[in-house]
Amino acid sequence: MELRTDRRRVVVTGCGVVSPVGNTTADFWNALLDGRSGIRAVTRFDTYGLPVRIGGDLTGFDTTGCLTPQEARRSDNFTQYAVVAAVQAMRAAGLATPAGIDPHRFAVVIGSGYGAAIAIQQQYDVLREHGPRRVSPYHSVLTAIDHPAGLLSIKYGISGPSCAVSAACATGAVAIGEAVEMIRHGRADLALAGGTDDSLTAVDLAGTANAQALSRRNDDPEGASRPFDRDRDGFVMSVGATVLTLEEAGHAERRGAEILAEVAGYAATTDAHHATAPDPTGAGAIRAMRGALADAGCVPEDVGQVSAHGTGTVLNDRIEAAALREVLGPDQLRRTPITAVKSMTGHMLGASGAAEAAAAVLSLRDHVIPPVRNCDHPEEEDLDLVVKGAREWDGDVVLSNSFGFGGHNAVLVLKRWTR
């Protein structure tokens, strides 16, 4: 594997996670290694009459120390999750107070698939029940998809590029990839990047269930998310956020930061096929995987682990397996362990790609791969799925896949850091 020396290298120096399996990075990671599920019966609203009544919600979430009470009141859940995750990522990177960091060389890229779904519905109810004078004057701000990025820029005095991206379920990976490009090309030295979503509403559960995309295992929540299992029947809608602190490698080294991993490759493609169904040929996914490997200076034989998109829908898992078969080749595929953390977290939508990138970073750090929960009867017999507990691992390269509605495909290549 030839290292890329012709451009600025980008490394991860901090991770922050808010998820159904834990509201800190440590809790998230420990839950994944233990194979614990965060899927439960939905209790935040009355689910009577809904075809799907399960999801991945947060427990014990607290904004104390991250948002003022006023900021919390004026923020949708998706913003609150992103800010808490970003604060964790900053602290983990040794930047609790970013003194000595050039704010003009600092960027923020926080994406979301659904945005302020809850706040929009709440304000509509206010308008309908109480009239226009009662609608919040902050409505246009708190419901904007760039609200997390804007709030973080104010909180930390970040005056470099800041923006939101949206690419459905690939959003988190795209946000990281685009922030990496900013650093590579000299527009920033440091970035907060990731994804956030909270679309666990009655409307979204009903609509996505009507699209035949969600698991209906209402009586077995923890067994509902079943990537690559023969008995899978759809994904489980979940909430949360993940933010990474990304830095130009030299910048991180000069300030003595611990480098967790390198984001070595990124590619994004579009199927241009269907609003919800993946291209049955997997052509877009294949191009994204090959593009990310080429961007990283890697060949298929270098891949030591795959973090699969693995939603648990029949078509997605089958097409992803076929795409991996095409990209890696049959021999390499058989000896490459594959995990799918949505089996535990559920599908965190715009946050999922970032959460899985964080899991890849932690896997490289700790030399262990989290298991695929609920894959009792694997459909694809040539996949080396990590199904019987966490597995010790000493690889150097993780291929992390994220695919989404609208045909969005984004792939990241995470590598063990070596100078």
Side-chain angles (χ1 to χ4, degrees):
M1 179 170 59
E2 181 181 352
L3 292 176
R4 301 295 296 270
T5 59
D6 57 338
R7 66 185 179 200
R8 288 156 55 98
R9 297 170 69 183
V10 182
V11 297
V12 181
T13 56
C15 299
V17 183
V18 172
S19 79
V21 297
N23 294 328
T24 68
T25 304
D27 288 346
F28 164 78
W29 185 231
N30 289 334
L32 294 188
L33 295 183
D34 289 345
R36 297 199 303 268
S37 173
I39 310 306
R40 302 287 185 272
V42 173
T43 58
R44 61 162 69 180
F45 54 82
D46 184 2
T47 60
Y48 177 78
L50 290 175
V52 172
R53 300 183 297 279
I54 57 174
D57 207 349
L58 306 186
T59 57
F61 176 72
D62 187 2
T63 62
T64 303
C66 300
L67 288 161
T68 67
Q70 184 183 65
E71 287 171 334
R73 286 195 305 272
R74 293 176 178 175
S75 298
D76 182 87
N77 287 359
F78 94 116
T79 296
Q80 295 183 26
Y81 301 164
V83 172
V84 171
V87 169
Q88 291 179 31
M90 288 287 281
R91 290 173 178 168
L95 294 167
T97 55
I101 300 297
D102 184 349
H104 307 311
R105 304 286 301 164
F106 199 164
V108 186
V109 185
I110 305 294
S112 182
Y114 284 70
I118 292 175
I120 290 170
Q121 291 185 35
Q122 288 174 340
Q123 290 301 304
Y124 174 75
D125 290 341
V126 168
L127 175 65
R128 183 182 58 189
E129 295 171 14
H130 303 290
R133 291 181 62 84
R134 294 288 297 276
V135 173
S136 171
Y138 294 95
H139 173 74
S140 60
V141 174
L142 72 89
T143 60
I145 200 167
D146 67 334
H147 190 218
L151 196 54
L152 285 167
S153 71
I154 294 168
K155 180 177 183 63
Y156 287 111
I158 298 169
S159 54
S162 67
C163 64
V165 298
S166 187
C169 310
T171 293
V174 170
I176 293 169
E178 294 304 318
V180 166
E181 293 296 336
M182 287 183 181
I183 296 172
R184 281 178 173 175
H185 293 285
R187 294 169 58 199
D189 297 322
L190 182 73
L192 288 172
T196 182
D197 255 324
D198 186 343
S199 59
L200 201 57
T201 70
V203 169
D204 287 305
L205 274 181
T208 313
N210 290 343
Q212 306 300 313
L214 297 181
S215 171
R216 303 195 179 207
R217 291 176 179 263
N218 294 309
D219 297 329
D220 181 23
E222 293 189 1
S225 186
R226 313 182 69 84
F228 302 105
D229 187 73
R230 291 183 187 276
D231 298 325
R232 65 191 185 276
D233 69 329
F235 74 84
V236 177
M237 188 172 287
S238 295
V239 310
T242 298
V243 176
L244 304 185
T245 306
L246 304 174
E247 293 189 58
E248 189 273 323
H251 184 276
E253 289 178 325
R254 286 189 294 275
R255 68 179 190 85
E258 179 187 5
I259 294 176
L260 303 175
E262 179 179 6
V263 186
Y266 163 63
T269 66
T270 308
D271 286 351
H273 170 72
H274 190 271
T276 57
D279 180 350
T281 71
I286 290 167
R287 286 191 296 114
M289 283 188 264
R290 285 178 171 160
L293 287 172
D295 190 47
C298 292
V299 296
E301 290 74 22
D302 295 324
V303 178
Q305 178 192 153
V306 173
S307 177
H309 183 56
T311 60
T313 63
V314 173
L315 281 179
N316 180 89
D317 291 0
R318 193 171 293 161
I319 293 167
E320 184 173 13
L324 284 167
R325 204 171 283 121
E326 178 69 20
V327 171
L328 298 183
D331 293 337
Q332 179 67 17
L333 182 64
R334 289 188 183 93
R335 56 178 176 260
T336 303
I338 298 172
T339 190
V341 303
K342 289 184 183 73
S343 61
M344 294 166 279
T345 64
H347 197 335
M348 294 161 63
L349 303 169
S352 61
E356 287 148 24
V361 168
L362 298 169
S363 181
L364 287 161
R365 183 194 69 181
D366 293 348
H367 303 274
V368 63
I369 304 174
V372 184
R373 183 186 169 96
N374 301 323
C375 191
D376 302 323
H377 306 99
E379 181 179 74
E380 311 288 344
E381 296 182 358
D382 58 338
L383 301 187
D384 180 17
L385 295 162
V386 180
V387 295
K388 296 180 180 179
R391 182 187 299 182
E392 292 185 1
W393 175 72
D394 197 31
D396 296 319
V397 176
V398 182
L399 186 74
S400 185
N401 289 338
S402 296
F403 311 132
F405 282 177
H408 300 286
N409 308 298
V411 178
L412 298 169
V413 174
L414 290 304
K415 288 171 54 177
R416 191 177 307 285
W417 169 249
T418 56
R419 171 46 79 181

mmCIF file of all heavy atoms in Angstrom, residues 198-241:
data_model
loop_
_atom_site.group_PDB
_atom_site.id
_atom_site.type_symbol
_atom_site.label_atom_id
_atom_site.label_comp_id
_atom_site.label_asym_id
_atom_site.label_seq_id
_atom_site.Cartn_x
_atom_site.Cartn_y
_atom_site.Cartn_z
ATOM 1 N N ASP A 198 -33.187 13.627 14.483
ATOM 2 C CA ASP A 198 -34.249 13.126 15.353
ATOM 3 C C ASP A 198 -35.549 13.221 14.585
ATOM 4 O O ASP A 198 -36.212 14.252 14.567
ATOM 5 C CB ASP A 198 -34.337 13.914 16.657
ATOM 6 C CG ASP A 198 -35.342 13.288 17.626
ATOM 7 O OD1 ASP A 198 -36.179 12.475 17.169
ATOM 8 O OD2 ASP A 198 -35.305 13.582 18.823
ATOM 9 N N SER A 199 -35.897 12.135 13.932
ATOM 10 C CA SER A 199 -37.155 12.091 13.183
ATOM 11 C C SER A 199 -38.079 11.031 13.772
ATOM 12 O O SER A 199 -38.937 10.489 13.069
ATOM 13 C CB SER A 199 -36.881 11.776 11.711
ATOM 14 O OG SER A 199 -36.221 10.531 11.602
ATOM 15 N N LEU A 200 -37.907 10.752 15.065
ATOM 16 C CA LEU A 200 -38.755 9.756 15.709
ATOM 17 C C LEU A 200 -40.082 10.413 16.085
ATOM 18 O O LEU A 200 -40.336 10.770 17.238
ATOM 19 C CB LEU A 200 -38.048 9.177 16.932
ATOM 20 C CG LEU A 200 -38.534 7.815 17.443
ATOM 21 C CD1 LEU A 200 -38.457 6.758 16.335
ATOM 22 C CD2 LEU A 200 -37.706 7.373 18.630
ATOM 23 N N THR A 201 -40.911 10.607 15.066
ATOM 24 C CA THR A 201 -42.227 11.220 15.223
ATOM 25 C C THR A 201 -43.277 10.269 14.675
ATOM 26 O O THR A 201 -42.972 9.361 13.894
ATOM 27 C CB THR A 201 -42.319 12.548 14.466
ATOM 28 O OG1 THR A 201 -42.310 12.283 13.045
ATOM 29 C CG2 THR A 201 -41.152 13.472 14.804
ATOM 30 N N ALA A 202 -44.524 10.502 15.050
ATOM 31 C CA ALA A 202 -45.609 9.656 14.558
ATOM 32 C C ALA A 202 -45.724 9.745 13.044
ATOM 33 O O ALA A 202 -45.939 8.739 12.358
ATOM 34 C CB ALA A 202 -46.924 10.060 15.227
ATOM 35 N N VAL A 203 -45.565 10.950 12.499
ATOM 36 C CA VAL A 203 -45.665 11.140 11.054
ATOM 37 C C VAL A 203 -44.564 10.364 10.324
ATOM 38 O O VAL A 203 -44.824 9.668 9.333
ATOM 39 C CB VAL A 203 -45.591 12.640 10.696
ATOM 40 C CG1 VAL A 203 -45.413 12.835 9.190
ATOM 41 C CG2 VAL A 203 -46.845 13.350 11.163
ATOM 42 N N ASP A 204 -43.338 10.479 10.820
ATOM 43 C CA ASP A 204 -42.230 9.812 10.135
ATOM 44 C C ASP A 204 -42.295 8.292 10.286
ATOM 45 O O ASP A 204 -41.965 7.556 9.354
ATOM 46 C CB ASP A 204 -40.899 10.354 10.648
ATOM 47 C CG ASP A 204 -40.633 11.760 10.146
ATOM 48 O OD1 ASP A 204 -40.658 11.959 8.927
ATOM 49 O OD2 ASP A 204 -40.426 12.660 10.978
ATOM 50 N N LEU A 205 -42.704 7.812 11.446
ATOM 51 C CA LEU A 205 -42.868 6.368 11.603
ATOM 52 C C LEU A 205 -43.955 5.848 10.667
ATOM 53 O O LEU A 205 -43.783 4.817 10.011
ATOM 54 C CB LEU A 205 -43.236 6.024 13.045
ATOM 55 C CG LEU A 205 -42.096 5.843 14.051
ATOM 56 C CD1 LEU A 205 -42.669 5.480 15.420
ATOM 57 C CD2 LEU A 205 -41.121 4.769 13.597
ATOM 58 N N ALA A 206 -45.065 6.567 10.585
ATOM 59 C CA ALA A 206 -46.162 6.129 9.728
ATOM 60 C C ALA A 206 -45.751 6.140 8.257
ATOM 61 O O ALA A 206 -45.969 5.170 7.523
ATOM 62 C CB ALA A 206 -47.386 7.016 9.940
ATOM 63 N N GLY A 207 -45.150 7.245 7.816
ATOM 64 C CA GLY A 207 -44.787 7.357 6.410
ATOM 65 C C GLY A 207 -43.735 6.352 5.987
ATOM 66 O O GLY A 207 -43.839 5.727 4.921
ATOM 67 N N THR A 208 -42.698 6.169 6.822
ATOM 68 C CA THR A 208 -41.631 5.244 6.460
ATOM 69 C C THR A 208 -42.122 3.810 6.536
ATOM 70 O O THR A 208 -41.699 2.958 5.747
ATOM 71 C CB THR A 208 -40.404 5.459 7.367
ATOM 72 O OG1 THR A 208 -40.121 6.856 7.442
ATOM 73 C CG2 THR A 208 -39.189 4.743 6.811
ATOM 74 N N ALA A 209 -43.028 3.529 7.477
ATOM 75 C CA ALA A 209 -43.632 2.196 7.526
ATOM 76 C C ALA A 209 -44.475 1.950 6.286
ATOM 77 O O ALA A 209 -44.452 0.843 5.708
ATOM 78 C CB ALA A 209 -44.485 2.049 8.784
ATOM 79 N N ASN A 210 -45.209 2.957 5.839
ATOM 80 C CA ASN A 210 -46.029 2.804 4.632
ATOM 81 C C ASN A 210 -45.182 2.591 3.389
ATOM 82 O O ASN A 210 -45.661 2.038 2.394
ATOM 83 C CB ASN A 210 -46.930 4.023 4.456
ATOM 84 C CG ASN A 210 -48.030 4.092 5.495
ATOM 85 O OD1 ASN A 210 -48.336 3.102 6.156
ATOM 86 N ND2 ASN A 210 -48.630 5.261 5.659
ATOM 87 N N ALA A 211 -43.929 3.038 3.447
ATOM 88 C CA ALA A 211 -42.998 2.792 2.342
ATOM 89 C C ALA A 211 -42.394 1.390 2.410
ATOM 90 O O ALA A 211 -41.537 1.048 1.593
ATOM 91 C CB ALA A 211 -41.887 3.834 2.359
ATOM 92 N N GLN A 212 -42.844 0.609 3.403
ATOM 93 C CA GLN A 212 -42.375 -0.775 3.584
ATOM 94 C C GLN A 212 -40.883 -0.859 3.889
ATOM 95 O O GLN A 212 -40.210 -1.816 3.523
ATOM 96 C CB GLN A 212 -42.708 -1.626 2.342
ATOM 97 C CG GLN A 212 -44.160 -1.604 1.922
ATOM 98 C CD GLN A 212 -45.090 -2.118 3.018
ATOM 99 O OE1 GLN A 212 -44.835 -3.157 3.615
ATOM 100 N NE2 GLN A 212 -46.160 -1.387 3.281
ATOM 101 N N ALA A 213 -40.368 0.170 4.583
ATOM 102 C CA ALA A 213 -38.939 0.201 4.877
ATOM 103 C C ALA A 213 -38.603 -0.209 6.305
ATOM 104 O O ALA A 213 -37.439 -0.522 6.589
ATOM 105 C CB ALA A 213 -38.389 1.603 4.611
ATOM 106 N N LEU A 214 -39.581 -0.196 7.219
ATOM 107 C CA LEU A 214 -39.306 -0.420 8.630
ATOM 108 C C LEU A 214 -39.658 -1.831 9.086
ATOM 109 O O LEU A 214 -40.632 -2.429 8.621
ATOM 110 C CB LEU A 214 -40.093 0.571 9.491
ATOM 111 C CG LEU A 214 -39.775 2.053 9.324
ATOM 112 C CD1 LEU A 214 -40.633 2.880 10.272
ATOM 113 C CD2 LEU A 214 -38.299 2.325 9.561
ATOM 114 N N SER A 215 -38.865 -2.323 10.026
ATOM 115 C CA SER A 215 -39.195 -3.598 10.669
ATOM 116 C C SER A 215 -40.475 -3.450 11.481
ATOM 117 O O SER A 215 -40.698 -2.422 12.133
ATOM 118 C CB SER A 215 -38.057 -4.021 11.593
ATOM 119 O OG SER A 215 -38.440 -5.139 12.367
ATOM 120 N N ARG A 216 -41.292 -4.490 11.475
ATOM 121 C CA ARG A 216 -42.543 -4.475 12.228
ATOM 122 C C ARG A 216 -42.509 -5.464 13.389
ATOM 123 O O ARG A 216 -43.560 -5.921 13.860
ATOM 124 C CB ARG A 216 -43.714 -4.750 11.297
ATOM 125 C CG ARG A 216 -43.783 -3.746 10.146
ATOM 126 C CD ARG A 216 -45.086 -3.740 9.418
ATOM 127 N NE ARG A 216 -45.074 -2.729 8.358
ATOM 128 C CZ ARG A 216 -46.174 -2.120 7.895
ATOM 129 N NH1 ARG A 216 -47.347 -2.420 8.402
ATOM 130 N NH2 ARG A 216 -46.076 -1.224 6.932
ATOM 131 N N ARG A 217 -41.329 -5.741 13.888
ATOM 132 C CA ARG A 217 -41.191 -6.651 15.028
ATOM 133 C C ARG A 217 -41.492 -5.894 16.328
ATOM 134 O O ARG A 217 -40.635 -5.753 17.205
ATOM 135 C CB ARG A 217 -39.786 -7.233 15.065
ATOM 136 C CG ARG A 217 -39.472 -8.198 13.938
ATOM 137 C CD ARG A 217 -38.015 -8.640 14.008
ATOM 138 N NE ARG A 217 -37.685 -9.577 12.963
ATOM 139 C CZ ARG A 217 -37.659 -10.905 13.101
ATOM 140 N NH1 ARG A 217 -37.946 -11.455 14.265
ATOM 141 N NH2 ARG A 217 -37.336 -11.684 12.087
ATOM 142 N N ASN A 218 -42.712 -5.429 16.441
ATOM 143 C CA ASN A 218 -43.079 -4.629 17.607
ATOM 144 C C ASN A 218 -42.976 -5.406 18.916
ATOM 145 O O ASN A 218 -42.769 -4.819 19.977
ATOM 146 C CB ASN A 218 -44.502 -4.090 17.446
ATOM 147 C CG ASN A 218 -44.615 -3.100 16.307
ATOM 148 O OD1 ASN A 218 -43.838 -2.153 16.215
ATOM 149 N ND2 ASN A 218 -45.579 -3.304 15.416
ATOM 150 N N ASP A 219 -43.135 -6.717 18.854
ATOM 151 C CA ASP A 219 -43.077 -7.537 20.055
ATOM 152 C C ASP A 219 -41.661 -7.993 20.386
ATOM 153 O O ASP A 219 -41.458 -8.664 21.403
ATOM 154 C CB ASP A 219 -43.987 -8.762 19.889
ATOM 155 C CG ASP A 219 -45.451 -8.380 19.734
ATOM 156 O OD1 ASP A 219 -45.838 -7.340 20.312
ATOM 157 O OD2 ASP A 219 -46.186 -9.097 19.034
ATOM 158 N N ASP A 220 -40.693 -7.658 19.547
ATOM 159 C CA ASP A 220 -39.300 -8.057 19.784
ATOM 160 C C ASP A 220 -38.376 -6.913 19.384
ATOM 161 O O ASP A 220 -37.595 -7.032 18.440
ATOM 162 C CB ASP A 220 -38.977 -9.323 18.979
ATOM 163 C CG ASP A 220 -37.553 -9.806 19.194
ATOM 164 O OD1 ASP A 220 -36.955 -9.468 20.240
ATOM 165 O OD2 ASP A 220 -37.030 -10.533 18.308
ATOM 166 N N PRO A 221 -38.432 -5.785 20.105
ATOM 167 C CA PRO A 221 -37.648 -4.613 19.690
ATOM 168 C C PRO A 221 -36.158 -4.900 19.543
ATOM 169 O O PRO A 221 -35.537 -4.476 18.558
ATOM 170 C CB PRO A 221 -37.922 -3.595 20.801
ATOM 171 C CG PRO A 221 -39.213 -4.006 21.397
ATOM 172 C CD PRO A 221 -39.238 -5.497 21.309
ATOM 173 N N GLU A 222 -35.570 -5.574 20.518
ATOM 174 C CA GLU A 222 -34.124 -5.791 20.475
ATOM 175 C C GLU A 222 -33.716 -6.728 19.346
ATOM 176 O O GLU A 222 -32.558 -6.726 18.922
ATOM 177 C CB GLU A 222 -33.632 -6.329 21.821
ATOM 178 C CG GLU A 222 -33.769 -5.309 22.949
ATOM 179 C CD GLU A 222 -33.082 -5.758 24.221
ATOM 180 O OE1 GLU A 222 -32.487 -6.863 24.227
ATOM 181 O OE2 GLU A 222 -33.127 -5.008 25.216
ATOM 182 N N GLY A 223 -34.646 -7.504 18.846
ATOM 183 C CA GLY A 223 -34.348 -8.409 17.738
ATOM 184 C C GLY A 223 -34.791 -7.886 16.392
ATOM 185 O O GLY A 223 -34.727 -8.607 15.386
ATOM 186 N N ALA A 224 -35.204 -6.609 16.338
ATOM 187 C CA ALA A 224 -35.807 -6.085 15.112
ATOM 188 C C ALA A 224 -34.791 -5.720 14.040
ATOM 189 O O ALA A 224 -35.053 -5.877 12.845
ATOM 190 C CB ALA A 224 -36.669 -4.873 15.446
ATOM 191 N N SER A 225 -33.638 -5.187 14.436
ATOM 192 C CA SER A 225 -32.638 -4.769 13.446
ATOM 193 C C SER A 225 -31.723 -5.945 13.164
ATOM 194 O O SER A 225 -30.928 -6.349 14.016
ATOM 195 C CB SER A 225 -31.838 -3.580 13.999
ATOM 196 O OG SER A 225 -30.970 -3.068 13.005
ATOM 197 N N ARG A 226 -31.823 -6.495 11.935
ATOM 198 C CA ARG A 226 -31.181 -7.770 11.627
ATOM 199 C C ARG A 226 -30.402 -7.712 10.305
ATOM 200 O O ARG A 226 -30.731 -8.408 9.339
ATOM 201 C CB ARG A 226 -32.216 -8.887 11.538
ATOM 202 C CG ARG A 226 -33.220 -8.925 12.674
ATOM 203 C CD ARG A 226 -34.196 -10.073 12.552
ATOM 204 N NE ARG A 226 -33.549 -11.353 12.752
ATOM 205 C CZ ARG A 226 -33.316 -11.899 13.939
ATOM 206 N NH1 ARG A 226 -33.679 -11.260 15.049
ATOM 207 N NH2 ARG A 226 -32.715 -13.063 14.026
ATOM 208 N N PRO A 227 -29.350 -6.905 10.234
ATOM 209 C CA PRO A 227 -28.600 -6.828 8.975
ATOM 210 C C PRO A 227 -28.077 -8.190 8.528
ATOM 211 O O PRO A 227 -27.548 -8.964 9.322
ATOM 212 C CB PRO A 227 -27.437 -5.889 9.329
ATOM 213 C CG PRO A 227 -27.930 -5.091 10.478
ATOM 214 C CD PRO A 227 -28.818 -5.998 11.262
ATOM 215 N N PHE A 228 -28.275 -8.461 7.247
ATOM 216 C CA PHE A 228 -27.758 -9.645 6.558
ATOM 217 C C PHE A 228 -28.368 -10.957 7.053
ATOM 218 O O PHE A 228 -27.943 -12.039 6.630
ATOM 219 C CB PHE A 228 -26.228 -9.706 6.643
ATOM 220 C CG PHE A 228 -25.550 -8.502 6.058
ATOM 221 C CD1 PHE A 228 -24.988 -7.534 6.882
ATOM 222 C CD2 PHE A 228 -25.511 -8.310 4.682
ATOM 223 C CE1 PHE A 228 -24.382 -6.399 6.345
ATOM 224 C CE2 PHE A 228 -24.911 -7.185 4.131
ATOM 225 C CZ PHE A 228 -24.350 -6.230 4.966
ATOM 226 N N ASP A 229 -29.373 -10.891 7.913
ATOM 227 C CA ASP A 229 -30.054 -12.099 8.373
ATOM 228 C C ASP A 229 -31.184 -12.465 7.411
ATOM 229 O O ASP A 229 -31.853 -11.581 6.868
ATOM 230 C CB ASP A 229 -30.621 -11.865 9.774
ATOM 231 C CG ASP A 229 -31.202 -13.131 10.381
ATOM 232 O OD1 ASP A 229 -30.411 -14.008 10.771
ATOM 233 O OD2 ASP A 229 -32.443 -13.239 10.451
ATOM 234 N N ARG A 230 -31.406 -13.742 7.217
ATOM 235 C CA ARG A 230 -32.466 -14.179 6.297
ATOM 236 C C ARG A 230 -33.846 -13.679 6.722
ATOM 237 O O ARG A 230 -34.737 -13.507 5.878
ATOM 238 C CB ARG A 230 -32.490 -15.712 6.225
ATOM 239 C CG ARG A 230 -31.285 -16.330 5.544
ATOM 240 C CD ARG A 230 -31.413 -17.840 5.455
ATOM 241 N NE ARG A 230 -30.200 -18.444 4.945
ATOM 242 C CZ ARG A 230 -29.906 -18.554 3.641
ATOM 243 N NH1 ARG A 230 -30.766 -18.101 2.743
ATOM 244 N NH2 ARG A 230 -28.784 -19.112 3.254
ATOM 245 N N ASP A 231 -34.047 -13.466 8.008
ATOM 246 C CA ASP A 231 -35.363 -13.086 8.513
ATOM 247 C C ASP A 231 -35.535 -11.576 8.695
ATOM 248 O O ASP A 231 -36.483 -11.138 9.343
ATOM 249 C CB ASP A 231 -35.612 -13.783 9.854
ATOM 250 C CG ASP A 231 -35.616 -15.295 9.734
ATOM 251 O OD1 ASP A 231 -36.082 -15.796 8.686
ATOM 252 O OD2 ASP A 231 -35.131 -15.977 10.660
ATOM 253 N N ARG A 232 -34.656 -10.775 8.138
ATOM 254 C CA ARG A 232 -34.775 -9.320 8.276
ATOM 255 C C ARG A 232 -36.033 -8.816 7.572
ATOM 256 O O ARG A 232 -36.469 -9.394 6.564
ATOM 257 C CB ARG A 232 -33.540 -8.637 7.695
ATOM 258 C CG ARG A 232 -33.354 -8.823 6.184
ATOM 259 C CD ARG A 232 -31.962 -8.346 5.758
ATOM 260 N NE ARG A 232 -31.769 -8.402 4.317
ATOM 261 C CZ ARG A 232 -31.401 -9.482 3.639
ATOM 262 N NH1 ARG A 232 -31.189 -10.626 4.289
ATOM 263 N NH2 ARG A 232 -31.236 -9.432 2.327
ATOM 264 N N ASP A 233 -36.597 -7.746 8.101
ATOM 265 C CA ASP A 233 -37.822 -7.217 7.491
ATOM 266 C C ASP A 233 -37.841 -5.697 7.464
ATOM 267 O O ASP A 233 -38.891 -5.083 7.322
ATOM 268 C CB ASP A 233 -39.059 -7.740 8.222
ATOM 269 C CG ASP A 233 -39.214 -7.186 9.629
ATOM 270 O OD1 ASP A 233 -38.188 -6.897 10.281
ATOM 271 O OD2 ASP A 233 -40.373 -7.039 10.082
ATOM 272 N N GLY A 234 -36.672 -5.058 7.593
ATOM 273 C CA GLY A 234 -36.629 -3.607 7.491
ATOM 274 C C GLY A 234 -35.732 -3.004 8.551
ATOM 275 O O GLY A 234 -35.261 -3.680 9.468
ATOM 276 N N PHE A 235 -35.503 -1.685 8.429
ATOM 277 C CA PHE A 235 -34.641 -1.020 9.400
ATOM 278 C C PHE A 235 -35.463 -0.493 10.562
ATOM 279 O O PHE A 235 -36.694 -0.499 10.552
ATOM 280 C CB PHE A 235 -33.778 0.065 8.752
ATOM 281 C CG PHE A 235 -34.475 1.346 8.353
ATOM 282 C CD1 PHE A 235 -34.684 2.362 9.267
ATOM 283 C CD2 PHE A 235 -34.856 1.568 7.021
ATOM 284 C CE1 PHE A 235 -35.273 3.560 8.898
ATOM 285 C CE2 PHE A 235 -35.443 2.763 6.643
ATOM 286 C CZ PHE A 235 -35.658 3.760 7.584
ATOM 287 N N VAL A 236 -34.763 -0.047 11.597
ATOM 288 C CA VAL A 236 -35.390 0.539 12.782
ATOM 289 C C VAL A 236 -34.977 2.002 12.872
ATOM 290 O O VAL A 236 -33.789 2.325 12.877
ATOM 291 C CB VAL A 236 -34.963 -0.207 14.062
ATOM 292 C CG1 VAL A 236 -35.567 0.472 15.292
ATOM 293 C CG2 VAL A 236 -35.377 -1.674 14.001
ATOM 294 N N MET A 237 -35.954 2.890 12.938
ATOM 295 C CA MET A 237 -35.664 4.310 12.976
ATOM 296 C C MET A 237 -35.121 4.708 14.347
ATOM 297 O O MET A 237 -35.710 4.363 15.371
ATOM 298 C CB MET A 237 -36.916 5.121 12.654
ATOM 299 C CG MET A 237 -36.670 6.602 12.473
ATOM 300 S SD MET A 237 -38.143 7.465 11.876
ATOM 301 C CE MET A 237 -38.190 6.911 10.173
ATOM 302 N N SER A 238 -34.002 5.432 14.335
ATOM 303 C CA SER A 238 -33.352 5.841 15.577
ATOM 304 C C SER A 238 -32.924 7.295 15.500
ATOM 305 O O SER A 238 -33.001 7.927 14.445
ATOM 306 C CB SER A 238 -32.130 4.959 15.848
ATOM 307 O OG SER A 238 -32.511 3.617 16.077
ATOM 308 N N VAL A 239 -32.448 7.812 16.625
ATOM 309 C CA VAL A 239 -32.036 9.207 16.721
ATOM 310 C C VAL A 239 -30.613 9.283 17.253
ATOM 311 O O VAL A 239 -30.082 8.316 17.800
ATOM 312 C CB VAL A 239 -32.986 9.997 17.648
ATOM 313 C CG1 VAL A 239 -34.434 9.773 17.270
ATOM 314 C CG2 VAL A 239 -32.769 9.612 19.120
ATOM 315 N N GLY A 240 -30.008 10.467 17.124
ATOM 316 C CA GLY A 240 -28.690 10.665 17.706
ATOM 317 C C GLY A 240 -27.810 11.562 16.870
ATOM 318 O O GLY A 240 -28.241 12.143 15.866
ATOM 319 N N ALA A 241 -26.553 11.674 17.281
ATOM 320 C CA ALA A 241 -25.577 12.511 16.587
ATOM 321 C C ALA A 241 -24.180 11.973 16.835
ATOM 322 O O ALA A 241 -23.919 11.354 17.868
ATOM 323 C CB ALA A 241 -25.659 13.956 17.075
#
